[in-house]
């Protein structure tokens, strides 16, 4: 996790196919709420956000990405597990190199010591409010 009062810089990649998106599932134990966010992770000192995005997809999913297109940079202020958070998000759109990733329903991966799930989700499930997408500004990338 991050230290209190720290602003984290993240690179996140949105992978779409038709009207579905490959997305990571998270859970906030304090809010007792499941949420979904784009895959990716922290930018390390000395690496660009693009390099971080490629590294994170490789580390978490053993996946190479292509057709990487920068979309936006945005700030995200939030509360997770009862703690305030502050992130600067570099948002990219990308595709998987290996077509097998478009065939599978979900992948379980490790993030630090936490077991997490990444899965294909129909975008309508976020639009209808059935599932919670974070940050909410990401809705604009699903249209």
């Amino acid at each position: 996790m991050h230290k209190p009062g720290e602003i984290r810089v993240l690179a996140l990649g949105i992978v779409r196919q038709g009207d579905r998106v490959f997305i990571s599932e998270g859970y906030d134990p304090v809010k007792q709420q499941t949420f979904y966010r784009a895959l990716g992770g922290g930018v390390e000192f000395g690496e660009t956000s693009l390099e971080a995005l490629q590294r994170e997809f490789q580390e978490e999913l053993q996946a190479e990405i292509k057709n990487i297109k920068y979309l936006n940079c945005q700030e995200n202020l939030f509360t997770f597990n009862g703690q305030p958070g502050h992130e600067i998000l570099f948002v990219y759109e990308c595709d998987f190199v290996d077509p097998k990733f478009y065939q599978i329903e979900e992948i379980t991966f490790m993030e630090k010591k936490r077991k997490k799930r990444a899965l294909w989700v129909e975008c309508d499930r976020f639009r209808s409010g059935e599932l919670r997408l974070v940050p909410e500004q990401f809705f604009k990338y699903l249209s």
Side-chain angles (χ1 to χ4, degrees):
M1 206 50 202
H2 60 282
K3 298 183 279 293
E6 177 183 64
I7 299 173
R8 291 188 67 214
V9 178
L10 283 86
L12 300 178
I14 296 169
V15 182
R16 295 188 50 191
Q17 184 187 44
D19 197 43
R20 62 184 198 152
V21 63
F22 197 71
I23 201 142
S24 173
E25 184 180 76
Y27 183 74
D28 187 323
V30 170
K31 296 176 188 168
Q32 296 187 346
Q33 193 173 58
T34 299
F35 61 89
Y36 297 84
R37 80 179 289 168
L39 285 149
V43 178
E44 294 177 357
F45 184 82
E47 109 184 310
T48 66
S49 61
L50 177 62
E51 290 166 341
L53 181 70
Q54 292 170 307
R55 177 183 50 75
E56 287 285 345
F57 268 78
Q58 191 63 54
E59 285 177 4
E60 294 177 351
L61 307 175
Q62 287 72 57
E64 284 184 68
I65 51 176
K66 64 180 180 177
N67 304 327
I68 304 166
K69 186 177 127 200
Y70 172 78
L71 295 177
N72 198 352
C73 182
Q74 62 189 59
E75 267 187 286
N76 182 29
L77 299 167
F78 61 97
T79 303
F80 173 75
N81 204 13
Q83 300 297 312
H86 189 170
E87 300 170 330
I88 307 292
L89 307 173
F90 285 90
V91 186
Y92 292 88
E93 189 175 68
C94 56
D95 296 319
F96 289 117
V97 170
D98 190 335
K100 78 171 185 192
F101 287 101
Y102 295 99
Q103 310 306 318
I104 55 176
E105 288 303 309
E106 69 175 67
I107 296 175
T108 302
F109 65 96
M110 295 302 287
E111 189 179 77
K112 298 192 176 59
K113 290 180 168 68
R114 289 193 315 256
K115 197 181 215 181
K116 296 192 75 179
R117 226 165 58 115
L119 62 161
W120 286 103
V121 176
E122 298 296 321
C123 295
D124 283 344
R125 296 180 73 190
F126 296 116
R127 290 188 202 108
S128 70
E130 177 195 344
L131 299 178
R132 183 164 181 257
L133 181 68
V134 297
E136 285 175 13
Q137 304 99 295
F138 271 49
F139 274 116
K140 67 182 168 207
Y141 306 124
L142 300 185
S143 58

